[in-house]
Amino acid sequence: MADAFSPPPPPLPWEDPSYPRLEALYETAKLFLFRPREAASRMSQTGPLGKPILFAVLVAWVGIIATQVYQWAFRETLASLLPALYHRQELAFSKLATVVTVVFAPVWILLGLALVTLVVHLFLLLFGGASGGLQTTLRTLAYTEATQLFQVIPLVGGLVGLFWWLAVSIVALAAAHRTSVGRAAAAVLTPLGLCCLCLVAVVVFAGAALFAALGGR
């Protein structure tokens, strides 16, 4: 009976208007990165979607900017060490591509979030773990974009962020939808596994076609 009268958990810092915005962004990212179950339980289940989507854009944008800066620095270093491999036009084009990628990053972040949300929610429905509805899936996955911050780590940040996202999203979705971790894991990992199988099939068929073409000569 004591649980029935226990106070509700405090809201996420990002959803609390009394928090300073930068501090709220940092504290919410930290919660989802290291305490995803608690973070999902404090997440609002209703109301406008603007705040979680804005959070996703901001943190993922930071990750993309870091990646582009590292790639640009790598190209510049390689060009200075091996100038014969790069022409001025190629370097100018790569700089322009970097600027375009950074400027239009929010568009790709939103499209990616929408696609991943639809796919994961479809599999949550298939496995019977979507009690919270599509909005809950979108909110949760928007906040798990905090894992994109790992891209500030040179070289291995993207890989670390991917595996951290898998773990965080599974735990957070299970808590948000009040379902089992197994069902949430199946909803997240099944489409990833299917994509890997399709990629392997494409490589195998392409290799077989190339082998047949070379053998026919």
Side-chain angles (χ1 to χ4, degrees):
M1 293 296 293
D3 290 340
F5 297 98
S6 60
L12 285 174
W14 184 250
E15 296 176 350
D16 186 347
S18 66
Y19 258 86
R21 289 299 82 191
L22 281 179
E23 183 182 353
L25 186 74
Y26 169 76
E27 292 295 336
T28 302
K30 188 170 68 173
L31 271 173
F32 270 92
L33 286 175
F34 302 109
R35 289 182 286 171
R37 184 179 298 277
E38 176 190 342
S41 68
R42 293 171 60 178
M43 179 184 71
S44 174
Q45 297 286 337
T46 58
L49 293 169
K51 284 187 177 180
I53 290 175
L54 178 60
F55 177 90
V57 170
L58 291 176
V59 293
W61 205 354
V62 170
I64 289 174
I65 291 172
T67 300
Q68 292 300 311
V69 168
Y70 292 145
Q71 291 179 358
W72 175 79
F74 175 77
R75 287 193 296 266
E76 289 290 322
T77 303
L78 196 60
S80 63
L81 295 175
L82 302 169
L85 295 179
Y86 286 89
H87 300 289
R88 286 187 177 181
Q89 294 84 351
E90 292 176 346
L91 287 174
F93 179 78
S94 67
K95 290 178 181 178
L96 177 62
T98 297
V99 172
V100 170
T101 300
V102 170
V103 170
F104 288 96
V107 177
W108 302 113
I109 293 167
L110 291 174
L111 290 175
L113 177 61
L115 178 60
V116 172
T117 297
L118 290 174
V119 171
V120 169
H121 191 73
L122 172 62
F123 281 91
L124 278 171
L125 288 171
L126 291 175
F127 291 111
S131 61
L134 179 62
Q135 185 178 129
T136 298
T137 303
L138 175 58
R139 290 177 185 275
T140 306
L141 293 179
Y143 283 119
T144 61
E145 285 292 297
T147 55
Q148 295 295 322
L149 293 173
F150 281 110
Q151 293 191 63
V152 302
I153 303 174
L155 300 179
V156 299
L159 189 61
V160 172
L162 172 62
F163 284 104
W164 210 284
W165 178 83
L166 291 173
V168 165
S169 61
I170 288 169
V171 173
L173 285 168
H177 282 284
R178 293 177 173 82
T179 187
S180 67
V181 172
R183 287 178 178 175
V188 171
L189 297 177
T190 300
L192 182 62
L194 292 175
C195 288
C196 292
L197 287 176
C198 290
L199 181 60
V200 169
V202 168
V203 172
V204 169
F205 282 120
L210 181 60
F211 180 80
L214 293 175
R217 290 186 175 182

